[in-house]
DNA sequence: AAGGAGGACGTCC
DNA sequence: GGACGTCCTCCTT
């Protein structure tokens, strides 16, 4: 897979590209933040927001030194008219743009399910903000800065400038601000898209599933559901937990501490650890939800009824 | 040492 | 009462 980068500056209020902080889709990993201003390597794409009817623009940057890392369709070798060439390029850019936006929205959807928060930061209470900050720390491996954002509601942090984020956290403020910007933009997009508007692949489905999902409507999530959610997003959580045999429902916890920490964030239990989480998993043995596989291995479990 | 099994009890809904 | 969360002992890898 190539490297995709989508700008955090998706919000209509930020059309300036001067201080772009980028989210970079790593191979098999989560969206990683990279600073375009200091980036030595040229980026492949920046997804930026524009006020035109299509909403999203994809800004193609100079080609990478390693062509296979950048999914730009090279039409230089074809004998096409400049107009047709341009049309093809536009269509391929639209496809990539659609994919990137879809991926970002899916990531937000998953985070909402796992954290039990709404997609729109403006609706968050201080507890939701804390969860989101902890989650962002996990995603981007930031130092712990939650205490600097205590007692702030979603409206509060949405009103804060990038400098105000930096004042609260010199090291992570810009990353948190950029990440929040993506969430704000996604919420803005959701509000903006009406039945008559142009849709991008998966956006409607993503939002529909977010709204229909019981875990987003205040229902408590079960541990086994939480584990399945993590397993469904290998590009984000594959470093923590992954399928060994999806058909048989066999999975392995690769990073027990991290999975426990994520579960602790979800349940507002800062003292959660793998010892306690595994005790809860073992309670599932009697209930016939999870068991140890026939050949028992450390940190490997099996869903009794894989779907 | 880390993980696994399971008892006992507390908390929260 | 269900679903954990916490703490514990003992066993296995």
């Amino acid at each position: 897979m190539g490297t995709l980068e989508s700008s955090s500056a998706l919000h209509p209020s930020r059309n300036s590209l001067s201080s772009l902080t980028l989210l970079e889709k790593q191979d098999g990993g989560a969206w990683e933040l990279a600073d375009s201003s200091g980036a030595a390597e040229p980026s492949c794409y920046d997804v930026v927001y524009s006020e035109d009817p299509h909403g999203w623009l994809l800004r193609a940057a100079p080609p990478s030194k390693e062509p296979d890392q950048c999914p730009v369709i090279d039409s230089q070798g074809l004998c096409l008219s400049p107009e047709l060439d341009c049309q093809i390029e536009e269509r391929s850019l639209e496809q990539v743009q659609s994919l990137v936006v879809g991926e970002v929205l899916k990531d937000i959807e998953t985070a909402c399910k796992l954290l039990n928060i709404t997609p729109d930061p403006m609706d968050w209470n201080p507890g939701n903000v804390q969860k989101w900050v902890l989650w962002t720390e996990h995603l981007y491996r930031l130092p712990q800065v939650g205490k600097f954002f205590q007692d702030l509601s979603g409206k509060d942090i949405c009103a804060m400038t990038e400098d105000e984020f930096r004042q609260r956290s010199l090291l992570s403020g810009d990353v948190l601000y950029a990440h929040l910007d993506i969430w704000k933009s996604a919420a803005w997009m959701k509000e903006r898209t009406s039945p008559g508007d142009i849709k991008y692949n998966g956006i409607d489905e993503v939002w529909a599933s977010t709204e229909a999902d019981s875990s987003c409507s205040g229902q408590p999530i079960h541990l086994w559901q939480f584990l399945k959610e993590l397993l469904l997003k290998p590009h984000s959580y594959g470093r923590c937990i992954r399928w060994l045999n999806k058909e048989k429902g066999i999975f392995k916890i690769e990073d027990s501490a991290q999975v426990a920490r994520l579960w602790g964030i979800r349940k507002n239990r800062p003292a959660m650890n793998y010892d306690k989480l595994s005790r809860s998993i073992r309670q599932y043995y009697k209930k016939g939800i999870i068991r140890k596989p026939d050949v028992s291995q450390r940190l490997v479990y099996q869903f009794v009824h894989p779907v």
Side-chain angles (χ1 to χ4, degrees), chain A residues 221-228 263 277-278 280-281 284:
Chain A
I221 191 172
H222 290 184
L223 174 58
W224 64 268
Q225 291 175 316
F226 182 82
L227 296 174
K228 277 198 172 173
W263 179 234
L277 184 147
S278 65
S280 293
I281 290 178
Y284 288 142

Side-chain angles (χ1 to χ4, degrees), chain A residues 61-76:
Chain A
S64 164
K65 286 171 194 168
E66 297 172 70
D68 62 329
Q69 286 195 348
C70 191
V72 172
I73 296 174
D74 182 8
S75 59
Q76 284 179 343

Side-chain angles (χ1 to χ4, degrees), chain A residues 113-115 131 135 220-227 230 256-270 272-274 276-278 280-281 284:
Chain A
K113 282 183 188 173
L114 295 172
L115 298 176
K131 278 185 179 178
W135 197 262
I221 191 172
H222 290 184
L223 174 58
W224 64 268
Q225 291 175 316
F226 182 82
L227 296 174
L230 295 181
S256 58
Q258 196 61 259
V259 171
R261 184 162 176 260
L262 294 174
W263 179 234
I265 293 171
R266 176 61 178 80
K267 293 293 293 285
N268 287 327
R269 290 280 172 181
M272 180 53 62
N273 57 27
Y274 181 69
K276 296 169 187 174
L277 184 147
S278 65
S280 293
I281 290 178
Y284 288 142

Side-chain angles (χ1 to χ4, degrees), chain A residues 16-69:
Chain A
S16 165
L17 299 173
S18 59
S19 62
L20 273 187
T21 303
L22 302 173
L23 269 183
E24 181 177 348
K25 188 81 171 183
Q26 298 281 335
D27 288 347
W31 294 88
E32 304 282 359
L33 286 165
D35 187 351
S36 68
S37 58
E41 294 294 323
S43 62
C44 295
Y45 298 110
D46 293 341
V47 178
V48 296
Y49 190 81
S50 88
E51 292 291 359
D52 83 337
H54 296 274
W56 301 82
L57 284 179
L58 200 66
R59 188 170 63 108
S64 164
K65 286 171 194 168
E66 297 172 70
D68 62 329
Q69 286 195 348

Side-chain angles (χ1 to χ4, degrees), chain A residues 73 124 132 164 184 219 237 270 292 295:
Chain A
I73 296 174
W124 294 346
W132 177 83
E164 286 171 324
K184 283 158 72 178
Q219 289 287 315
Y237 307 106
K292 289 295 277 185
V295 183

Side-chain angles (χ1 to χ4, degrees), chain A residues 66-255:
Chain A
E66 297 172 70
D68 62 329
Q69 286 195 348
C70 191
V72 172
I73 296 174
D74 182 8
S75 59
Q76 284 179 343
L78 302 173
C79 299
L80 301 171
S81 70
E83 291 80 13
L84 193 57
D85 199 18
C86 193
Q87 279 176 15
I88 290 170
E89 192 168 325
E90 234 172 70
R91 285 198 62 181
S92 61
L93 287 178
E94 270 178 24
Q95 286 170 357
V96 176
Q97 156 191 353
S98 170
L99 280 171
V100 171
V101 173
E103 281 302 308
V104 169
L105 293 179
K106 280 180 195 168
D107 284 350
I108 289 175
E109 177 210 1
T110 304
C112 285
K113 282 183 188 173
L114 295 172
L115 298 176
N116 195 26
I117 60 177
T118 63
D120 189 349
M122 290 293 280
D123 298 333
W124 294 346
N125 61 30
N128 297 150
V129 171
Q130 278 297 302
K131 278 185 179 178
W132 177 83
V133 170
L134 285 169
W135 197 262
T136 306
E137 285 170 7
H138 156 73
L139 276 181
Y140 303 122
R141 307 209 162 123
L142 306 174
Q144 295 188 3
V145 295
K147 59 179 181 288
F148 301 126
F149 294 88
Q150 265 174 351
D151 303 323
L152 291 171
S153 70
K155 283 194 176 72
D156 293 334
I157 62 168
C158 285
M160 282 166 59
T161 64
E162 190 165 2
D163 279 344
E164 286 171 324
F165 268 82
R166 282 211 193 88
Q167 279 164 21
R168 286 179 186 266
S169 170
L170 193 62
L171 290 174
S172 312
D174 54 346
V175 177
L176 285 165
Y177 178 81
H179 195 210
L180 179 65
D181 214 20
I182 291 172
W183 281 64
K184 283 158 72 178
S185 303
W188 188 87
M189 269 190 70
K190 184 199 174 192
E191 202 171 302
R192 189 174 180 272
T193 49
S194 63
D197 282 339
I198 293 168
K199 298 291 195 301
Y200 293 99
N201 291 346
I203 288 177
D204 285 353
E205 293 85 337
V206 166
W207 289 117
S209 65
T210 301
E211 282 164 354
D213 189 84
S214 63
S215 62
C216 272
S217 56
Q219 289 287 315
I221 191 172
H222 290 184
L223 174 58
W224 64 268
Q225 291 175 316
F226 182 82
L227 296 174
K228 277 198 172 173
E229 291 286 349
L230 295 181
L231 286 161
L232 283 173
K233 300 291 286 184
H235 85 265
S236 295
Y237 307 106
R239 284 173 294 202
C240 303
I241 184 171
R242 67 184 175 90
W243 292 114
L244 291 186
N245 185 330
K246 194 174 178 181
E247 288 67 39
K248 290 183 178 173
I250 300 172
F251 63 95
K252 179 169 187 182
I253 295 172
E254 296 284 358
D255 187 337

